[in-house]
Amino acid sequence: MNPLCCIAPVSLDSAVEHHHQPPRILAAAAAAPTSPTPPAAAGAAVAAQVVLDAAQAAVAGVLHKWLRVGGGGDSAASPAVAARVIGEGGALRRAREEAAAAGKQWKPFGEIHLKVSSIRASKSDDKRLYIFSGTKTLHLRCETEEDRNAWIQALQVAKDRFPRSLTSNDFSPMSDVLLSTEKLRVRLLQEGLNETVVKECESIMMTELLELHNQMKSQQQQYSILIDRLRQLETEKVELERTVVHETKEREAHGYANGRYSGGSASESDPDTASQVADVETDEDEVMYFDTRDFLSAESLRSASCRRRELLTNGCNGLEHIDPAANVVKTTQYPSVKRRDKLPEPKEKENPVGLWSIIKENIGKDLSGVCLPVYFNEPLSSLQKCFEDLEYSYLVDHALQWGKQGDSLMRTLHVAAFAVSGYASTEGRQCKPFNPLLGETYEADYPDKGLRFFSEKVSHHPMIVACHCEGRGWKFWGDSNLKGKFWGRSIQLDPIGVLTLQFDDGETFQWSKVTTSIYNIIIGKIYCDHYGTMRIKGSGDYSCKLKFKEQSIIDRNPHQVHGFVQDNRTGQKVAMLIGKWDEAMYYVLGDPSAKPKGYDPMSEAVLLWERDKSLNQTRYNLSPFAISLNELTPNLAKKLPPTDSRLRPDQRHLENGEYEMANAEKLRLEQLQRQARRLQEKGWQPRWFSKDDDDSYRYIGGYWEAREKGNWDGIPDIFGQRSASPGWS
């Protein structure tokens, strides 16, 4: 337990006032101590009551609760209930007597609804039990094991008596109204109107009244439907909160185990653990965050960089010797290639999806094994998403040129900017990529970027994607085992794998991606965040450490990235990196922390990379580069192997807005994919990659040569309908 907590007996009352009210626990204020307590503990024994219903006697007794020192409540009276006493009745009486002598009365200061709570007995202590409410955990202790069992039984009985919610069936139907025009008829005749006019007036009135009556009946039906829907949502919310209780605790435990939280406290996923968990590693002493000022906004960063470049252009004295950017590297010229700049117009209207019914059964599961409707996907596969990380490959080209000029520091800075730039396209993307089939591949031949890329799904369980890219003077490769879990309100994605960038002169950089979480899955605007530490290890003179700051609820400046470049020989910081993963990255040479007080590092900030802001207004928020990834022309289709993602029918149908066909194809392919595990267990091996000595996958070559010859012998038609591929776009 947290050392700031102590054991203090408290009162728990639960009353069911009538059969429509769910059972609840009310925690009341404590009185003076009734027995010696440990030096670190304080508090007193007070009453606890659970009233089952009007037909059954209540139970009462003494329970002890872990609570913060200094807690308490106001005085007030609680209802007196005749109850069966669990445990020692004298302790209960003494608690009330001492409270009365101290001038204190029992007043509830909080409540826990049992219907959304989970009750569990401790495995290590036969006197302890826990109540998880979804927002807090009550750690309770009884006097004996028999008392604990009696309390658990009483609480469970009260919990199970939650009544059925009202639905539209509980409302009596609106009876037909009897309408009469007799009084109107008499009055009109008194005015001297003839029979024809009177009948016409009666007809007009009856028509209007009947229309009003029908409108009222329609409104009542809509109201009943709305009530039904609200009750359904309420029930699903209760079930979800009840299910999320344990998974929320597991997520917190996962965070502790990975050193994400400092100031150790016990992991609540295991209430029997009372030891502190120390933070494995902290980077706060190495990375500066400038949250007290707003100069990390895009405008201020951009203006600072512009001022800096103006000074350099004007030849300001004292700056040239500290800024290598004054010597601009030669930009590599590549041929222009025309690619599509928009997705096809949808052919069907998208149908709504019952999100609750889908996700509530998958809380805490590995996302790679969860089958979701096609509406949750974007028309790209994970293989194509790997190539999307190379959208700003010109940064690697610049790094190559800086190295040729003998400037290893500027090379390292550009590699760091490239590692960050891969996250820029994730902003605003709310749909997941398609999970590739075993053996599925993707190629990207982009002469306009001076590179060609190839990726393959090399393992089904665990799901691993391997990729290899060749640029002009460098190579990039890696594999990724992305583990994802759904936590009720968010999805956490933890990448496993190493990315390697190697230049032709032999210098190598390696790093791993940081954690990604997607929030507000149930309610609110969906958004993603990337957080954690990225270490870019260089084989030459310098390495880099970047800290992606986790976004808080009240964060005015989200998506911040800060870091330092360090000398591998001395460990000295030689440059600072500042920016945001969805906007831009800047560098400042030297160690700003060693500067005199009042020094503003932004006065010397220089722009390294800036995100391409041109976005197409599509449902998927794809960048122009991402839109080009799934483009398929008849000429290209003739050259591709039958395993390429662009030939995947459900993905193509989704891109074309043919949602029903996309769903049907996705179900068909998932049936085929269920055979993948058996294939892998029988010794299936990837075609274009193999494991090396460090258990990672490396490209073995041969793909582009086979493509040149059009020789795809032995390559399976994993999609099952090469001849029936959807139309080109």
Side-chain angles (χ1 to χ4, degrees):
M1 285 277 172
N2 193 311
L4 297 179
C5 297
C6 64
I7 293 181
V10 298
S11 169
L12 299 177
D13 297 322
S14 179
V16 182
E17 297 177 0
H18 53 81
H19 72 282
H20 289 314
Q21 179 178 349
R24 66 190 189 281
I25 297 176
L26 302 177
T34 61
S35 60
T37 58
V46 293
Q49 296 178 341
V50 175
V51 181
L52 301 182
D53 61 25
Q56 289 186 332
V59 297
V62 175
L63 286 173
H64 304 271
K65 175 181 177 292
W66 290 83
L67 74 161
R68 297 274 182 184
V69 175
D74 300 328
S75 297
S78 67
V81 181
R84 172 175 63 86
V85 176
I86 295 178
E88 185 183 352
L92 179 61
R93 288 192 298 273
R94 286 196 303 273
R96 292 192 178 276
E97 291 171 358
E98 291 176 0
K104 291 188 176 182
Q105 294 176 309
W106 306 103
K107 178 185 178 182
F109 60 82
E111 67 179 23
I112 294 176
H113 291 272
L114 287 175
K115 183 59 182 177
V116 297
S117 299
S118 174
I119 304 164
R120 197 176 87 188
S122 170
K123 296 180 180 179
S124 62
D125 189 334
D126 56 13
K127 298 178 183 179
R128 290 171 64 183
L129 63 108
Y130 310 99
I131 301 177
F132 302 98
S133 71
T135 58
K136 65 176 67 175
T137 303
L138 284 178
H139 302 258
L140 304 172
R141 181 178 60 82
C142 304
E143 299 296 335
T144 65
E145 181 180 5
E146 292 75 15
D147 290 355
R148 183 188 71 171
N149 296 336
W151 273 112
I152 292 177
Q153 181 182 6
L155 290 169
Q156 194 63 49
V157 170
K159 173 182 170 69
D160 294 340
R161 290 184 177 274
F162 188 79
R164 177 180 63 87
S165 300
L166 292 176
T167 67
S168 59
N169 295 328
D170 298 306
F171 294 90
S172 58
M174 183 177 180
S175 58
D176 291 333
V177 178
L178 297 178
L179 303 175
S180 174
T181 61
E182 186 61 31
K183 291 183 180 180
L184 175 64
R185 178 183 180 82
V186 172
R187 183 72 182 86
L188 293 176
L189 290 174
Q190 289 176 353
E191 293 293 328
L193 298 177
N194 60 43
E195 187 70 20
T196 302
V197 175
V198 170
K199 288 184 178 180
E200 185 177 348
C201 291
E202 285 183 308
S203 176
I204 292 174
M205 191 195 76
M206 290 297 295
T207 301
E208 295 291 336
L209 289 177
L210 286 174
E211 183 178 349
L212 178 62
H213 179 65
N214 291 333
Q215 290 178 359
M216 292 177 63
K217 290 184 68 174
S218 176
Q219 290 291 332
Q220 189 200 35
Q221 291 175 356
Q222 293 180 17
Y223 175 75
S224 298
I225 293 173
L226 177 61
I227 290 295
D228 251 350
R229 182 57 181 158
L230 289 175
R231 296 298 186 189
Q232 180 185 354
L233 289 174
E234 181 182 5
T235 302
E236 291 176 345
K237 176 177 179 294
V238 167
E239 293 176 356
L240 179 62
E241 289 180 347
R242 180 176 56 187
T243 309
V244 166
V245 166
H246 297 292
E247 283 72 20
T248 302
K249 306 302 175 182
E250 291 178 8
R251 185 184 180 193
E252 293 175 358
H254 177 77
Y256 284 118
N258 286 278
R260 282 183 49 202
Y261 305 111
S262 58
S265 61
S267 170
E268 293 187 0
S269 66
D270 184 6
D272 302 326
T273 303
S275 60
Q276 296 184 24
V277 181
D279 203 359
V280 175
E281 180 176 348
T282 176
D283 297 312
E284 296 303 322
D285 57 338
E286 299 184 30
V287 179
M288 301 167 67
Y289 288 109
F290 305 96
D291 296 336
T292 56
R293 301 175 56 188
D294 287 337
F295 65 79
L296 277 177
S297 65
E299 292 76 13
S300 57
L301 279 170
R302 192 174 293 109
S303 61
S305 181
C306 290
R307 290 196 307 271
R308 179 67 171 162
R309 281 181 287 183
E310 287 175 2
L311 291 173
L312 289 170
T313 303
N314 296 331
C316 180
N317 294 331
L319 293 179
E320 293 82 350
H321 68 284
I322 66 168
D323 200 326
N327 300 318
V328 180
V329 296
K330 181 185 296 185
T331 303
T332 306
Q333 298 297 323
Y334 296 118
S336 176
V337 176
K338 182 175 177 56
R339 304 186 185 278
R340 69 176 184 179
D341 55 5
K342 63 179 180 179
L343 296 176
E345 291 296 325
K347 297 181 180 179
E348 300 173 10
K349 183 179 180 181
E350 185 178 1
N351 296 323
V353 182
L355 181 62
W356 287 84
S357 60
I358 296 172
I359 64 177
K360 68 181 181 180
E361 303 298 331
N362 297 305
I363 296 176
K365 293 183 180 179
D366 186 343
L367 290 181
S368 63
V370 177
C371 298
L372 296 175
V374 75
Y375 304 104
F376 290 92
N377 290 93
E378 62 181 14
L380 292 175
S381 73
S382 296
L383 299 169
Q384 293 165 309
K385 290 281 288 184
C386 289
F387 182 55
E388 196 172 356
D389 287 348
L390 287 118
E391 178 175 0
Y392 300 97
S393 59
Y394 70 84
L395 292 168
V396 184
D397 292 335
H398 290 178
L400 174 69
Q401 297 300 325
W402 280 115
K404 288 182 177 180
Q405 295 183 17
D407 198 326
S408 182
L409 174 57
M410 287 302 295
R411 169 178 281 188
T412 305
L413 288 169
H414 280 80
V415 170
F418 168 72
V420 174
S421 69
Y423 292 96
S425 62
T426 62
E427 177 64 11
R429 301 275 280 274
Q430 300 179 3
C431 298
K432 65 183 290 290
F434 279 85
N435 184 18
L437 276 65
L438 185 64
E440 186 173 333
T441 62
Y442 175 72
E443 70 159 59
D445 188 5
Y446 273 58
D448 47 330
K449 286 183 171 289
L451 52 81
R452 59 184 186 180
F453 170 93
F454 180 75
S455 57
E456 179 183 10
K457 181 175 179 179
V458 295
S459 174
H460 185 59
H461 283 283
M463 204 283 278
I464 301 178
V465 169
C467 68
H468 180 85
C469 182
E470 298 175 0
R472 302 285 179 86
W474 53 270
K475 294 180 181 179
F476 174 80
W477 68 86
D479 55 52
S480 175
N481 176 10
L482 190 65
K483 291 189 176 180
K485 282 197 173 182
F486 174 56
W487 297 109
R489 293 174 179 85
S490 65
I491 295 176
Q492 179 179 322
L493 305 172
D494 294 307
I496 299 175
V498 177
L499 302 176
T500 302
L501 174 63
Q502 186 178 71
F503 294 97
D504 284 356
D505 57 19
E507 187 170 9
T508 302
F509 294 88
Q510 289 186 317
W511 66 92
S512 296
K513 290 198 167 188
V514 297
T515 297
T516 296
S517 284
I518 304 172
Y519 299 96
N520 293 338
I521 300 298
I522 307 299
I523 299 175
K525 183 179 179 181
I526 296 178
Y527 70 95
C528 73
D529 189 29
H530 311 286
Y531 52 87
T533 301
M534 176 185 288
R535 292 173 176 81
I536 304 174
K537 300 179 181 179
S539 63
D541 296 333
Y542 301 103
S543 294
C544 181
K545 180 184 290 186
L546 298 173
K547 186 69 176 291
F548 288 64
K549 185 184 178 185
E550 185 172 7
Q551 181 177 347
S552 65
I553 298 177
I554 59 174
D555 200 341
R556 295 180 302 173
N557 245 332
H559 307 166
Q560 294 186 37
V561 181
H562 301 260
F564 289 98
V565 176
Q566 293 179 304
D567 190 309
N568 286 337
R569 295 162 296 181
T570 64
Q572 181 182 359
K573 299 170 184 174
V574 295
M576 180 177 73
L577 287 151
I578 310 172
K580 296 185 177 183
W581 52 259
D582 65 328
E583 289 187 2
M585 287 299 295
Y586 300 79
Y587 73 89
V588 179
L589 294 181
D591 183 2
S593 62
K595 300 288 185 179
K597 186 177 181 180
Y599 167 74
D600 182 5
M602 298 314 300
S603 62
E604 298 182 3
V606 181
L607 180 67
L608 266 175
W609 158 79
E610 189 170 22
R611 176 190 177 186
D612 180 7
K613 295 293 185 179
S614 56
L615 291 178
N616 283 19
Q617 298 301 316
T618 67
R619 185 173 77 88
Y620 309 105
N621 287 325
L622 301 180
S623 67
F625 180 69
I627 288 175
S628 71
L629 301 183
N630 202 47
E631 182 178 12
L632 182 62
T633 62
N635 183 53
L636 178 60
K638 298 175 183 178
K639 301 177 181 180
L640 295 177
T643 54
D644 195 277
S645 294
R646 276 167 289 217
L647 301 175
R648 179 168 175 161
D650 53 352
Q651 183 173 312
R652 181 63 58 184
H653 285 308
L654 176 63
E655 181 182 283
N656 293 335
E658 300 165 326
Y659 302 112
E660 291 187 8
M661 296 178 67
N663 261 319
E665 284 297 321
K666 189 170 189 291
L667 290 175
R668 182 183 68 83
L669 292 178
E670 284 171 352
Q671 293 289 341
L672 293 177
Q673 184 69 354
R674 291 189 176 95
Q675 305 172 12
R677 179 180 292 227
R678 292 192 293 270
L679 286 174
Q680 194 166 335
E681 290 174 350
K682 292 179 180 179
W684 179 90
Q685 295 295 327
R687 174 64 178 84
W688 309 105
F689 290 83
S690 65
K691 280 189 178 182
D692 57 16
D693 295 336
D694 60 358
D695 211 31
S696 59
Y697 286 88
R698 291 289 302 272
Y699 176 60
I700 58 177
Y703 174 82
W704 297 103
E705 292 77 7
R707 183 184 189 273
E708 183 70 22
K709 298 176 181 178
N711 181 14
W712 302 122
D713 294 341
I715 304 301
D717 183 9
I718 60 175
F719 304 131
Q721 56 171 32
R722 173 66 188 243
S723 60
S725 298
W728 323 124
S729 60

